[in-house]
Amino acid sequence: MPDLVTQLPAPERVHVDVSSLRPLFQEAAPAPDLALAVLPGHPQDPTRTIARMAAKIYLKRLLVQLRDHGAASAPADVRRWAQGMVDGLLRMPHEALLRLVLTPGVTSWTRTAQGATADGRALSPRALLGHLGAFLLPDLLAPRTVTAAEVPVIAEAGEVVLPAARVALRVPGAEGVLTVRATESGLRVAAEGRTYDIPWACLPDGPGGPAQEHPSVRALTVLPGGPLLTGPLPWHRIAYPSEAEGPLDLGPEDFARFAGDIGSGWDTVRRLWPEAADVVRGTTLHIMPVRSQGNWPFNFTLPSFRGLVLTSGRPTYLSAQTLVHESGHNRFNSILDVYSVAENAAEEHYSPFVEATRPLVNIFHGVLSFLNDVHMAIRCVDSFSPADGPAIEPYVDDITARLAVGLDTLERHARTTEQGAQLLAGFRAAMPA
């Protein structure tokens, strides 16, 4: 029987009917108090509310990008793929859709797709959609929402990595753009005239679910109840800014050591500050390794890769501090998607965190993240000894002093908006005694 999917005509241009989204975008706008978002644990913590608001912004961007890449001048297969992705997204339950669009792959794609380059050359439209397809596929072709669409994905070294499903599909010898579609029994992957069938039973039942063993499925490394751990994926090799420290491809032994270090930090957060673990779980979705600097912290996030953390591996309480620190940056980036915090946010002043001048918005970032960091460290004082690593008390004293300088700078120089003033109130309340 011929493959009916490939016989479907391509639309002249992608059509986006957002009528199903009207209830979502017509919701009453909440007015959260950002002071309650500074530290995890407050009963009215607005972190989820702010994430929902930011996700609506990214959803609009994603649909506009798909519409634009499916313009009349695009190749027929690109138009067909873009239309299928749009249709699948609009059929998803709203809550699942909002979770999907605020993930690192999707947020970065919506913000960098137009300018993403590989070796100085623009990505082809097919490759561009293939990268996006790898991030969307598990949700678009879940067993309960089987559609007639085919979804392009990117293969590298014979694998298609699906971060949302926490698995990689093995497609021997495959490189570049493949297509995947749902059948009654599972996924059918088409590569260079061959097809590979992967049963539904061997795939997670939705993102984060367990996968059964199957020769064509490789489970990725996931912290228990927490973030995904990988080296760089094909998209990161292309879209991650060259001026930033890029993620590393580690060998099996080094990666296992990295996973053990981050895992010990995750266990520490869950044990000593469970409220922070809940926030980390919702805001830190994917962790990648960068070069180690021993026990010195080396970790960062980027606004466009929401939910991604890049970090060197450090054991126990050191990694615990990293997790809550970078969760603060990811949360604050979502705040900045929704609100302005200061009329003069770009004005530069001395930052005690980098000991150099930085825009005031960066100092807001530093104060929020280091407040979380130091509260994690304080919780670790009685649980670890000098034999476990560097002494904690001197670190707490040093960071508390730097926080006082940063907060003073903001209070003296920032012309805060209403939301910025709320944050300053939250910063003052959260300062260690």
Side-chain angles (χ1 to χ4, degrees):
M1 181 175 178
D3 183 351
L4 297 180
V5 174
T6 59
Q7 307 302 317
L8 293 174
E12 291 187 7
R13 58 176 55 85
V14 169
H15 175 63
V16 183
D17 178 3
V18 296
S19 58
S20 64
L21 299 179
R22 286 198 187 104
L24 189 60
F25 288 108
Q26 289 175 351
E27 291 175 343
D33 182 354
L34 298 192
L36 309 182
V38 172
L39 293 180
H42 194 282
Q44 282 80 48
D45 181 354
T47 295
R48 287 192 176 93
T49 297
I50 295 165
R52 184 182 185 86
M53 297 164 74
K56 293 180 188 180
I57 294 171
Y58 280 101
L59 175 56
K60 290 179 181 178
R61 291 175 180 169
L62 176 60
L63 293 173
V64 167
Q65 288 276 5
L66 284 169
R67 181 201 65 191
D68 291 349
H69 285 289
S73 58
D77 53 358
V78 170
R79 299 200 307 274
R80 187 174 65 248
W81 293 338
Q83 185 69 68
M85 289 183 185
V86 167
D87 293 344
L89 290 168
L90 295 178
R91 277 192 290 265
M92 287 180 61
H94 289 172
E95 300 309 311
L97 180 58
L98 292 178
R99 286 193 298 271
L100 173 63
V101 298
L102 204 62
T103 54
V106 179
T107 57
S108 60
W109 194 91
T110 62
R111 293 184 62 168
T112 63
Q114 293 284 1
T117 59
D119 299 326
R121 297 168 297 183
L123 277 172
S124 73
R126 292 179 180 85
L128 194 59
L129 288 190
H131 285 285
L132 179 62
F135 297 122
L136 299 182
L137 177 72
D139 291 271
L140 293 186
L141 298 186
R144 295 187 180 89
T145 56
V146 173
T147 74
E150 62 183 4
V151 179
V153 293
I154 287 289
E156 183 179 78
E159 284 194 334
V160 176
V161 180
L162 306 177
R166 313 300 180 88
V167 298
L169 308 181
R170 292 191 172 105
V171 188
E175 295 283 342
V177 182
L178 316 180
T179 58
V180 182
R181 68 182 180 92
T183 69
E184 290 186 2
S185 58
L187 295 183
R188 176 160 294 170
V189 183
E192 299 177 347
R194 299 185 61 188
T195 60
Y196 299 82
D197 289 312
I198 301 170
W200 288 124
C202 301
L203 296 165
D205 185 15
Q212 296 183 20
E213 291 187 6
H214 187 274
S216 293
V217 177
R218 176 173 68 88
L220 303 179
T221 301
V222 182
L223 297 181
L228 170 71
L229 302 182
T230 73
L233 306 185
W235 177 246
H236 301 91
R237 300 184 216 283
I238 293 166
Y240 203 83
S242 59
E243 68 270 21
E245 180 71 34
L248 295 178
D249 265 322
L250 299 179
E253 290 185 6
D254 288 336
F255 185 80
R257 188 177 302 110
F258 171 77
D261 285 344
I262 303 302
S264 67
W266 174 236
D267 289 343
T268 299
V269 178
R270 291 198 296 171
R271 179 168 55 90
L272 299 181
W273 197 1
E275 298 86 355
D278 289 340
V279 173
V280 171
R281 187 181 292 109
T283 57
T284 302
L285 309 178
H286 196 164
I287 300 176
M288 291 184 179
V290 293
R291 59 187 172 86
S292 175
Q293 298 200 354
N295 283 331
W296 289 101
F298 189 58
N299 41 269
F300 43 91
T301 62
L302 281 184
S304 59
F305 285 79
R306 192 63 43 81
L308 176 68
V309 168
L310 285 88
T311 181
S312 58
R314 302 188 303 153
T316 57
Y317 62 88
L318 300 174
S319 282
Q321 291 168 215
T322 293
L323 289 171
V324 296
H325 180 108
E326 294 303 333
S327 172
H329 282 305
N330 274 320
R331 283 150 49 208
F332 191 63
N333 282 327
S334 287
I335 289 173
L336 292 178
D337 277 329
V338 180
Y339 301 111
S340 169
V341 296
E343 296 172 2
N344 58 337
E347 187 176 294
E348 294 198 349
H349 291 273
Y350 174 78
S351 168
F353 308 112
V354 296
E355 299 182 342
T357 57
R358 289 292 186 271
L360 285 170
V361 70
N362 292 37
I363 301 176
F364 270 97
H365 254 296
V367 172
L368 190 148
S369 295
F370 274 105
L371 277 170
N372 284 265
D373 187 321
V374 78
H375 276 273
M376 185 70 246
I378 290 169
R379 284 166 167 79
C380 292
V381 168
D382 294 332
S383 296
F384 296 94
S385 71
D388 299 310
I392 301 174
E393 291 92 337
Y395 178 82
V396 170
D397 292 342
D398 177 56
I399 295 303
T400 301
R402 292 174 189 261
L403 282 166
V405 173
L407 181 54
D408 179 67
T409 298
L410 293 176
E411 291 180 326
R412 287 191 296 115
H413 296 291
R415 297 195 298 274
T416 56
T417 62
E418 177 185 354
Q419 289 75 28
Q422 291 171 355
L423 281 172
L424 289 188
F427 292 167
R428 290 186 214 104
M431 282 292 291

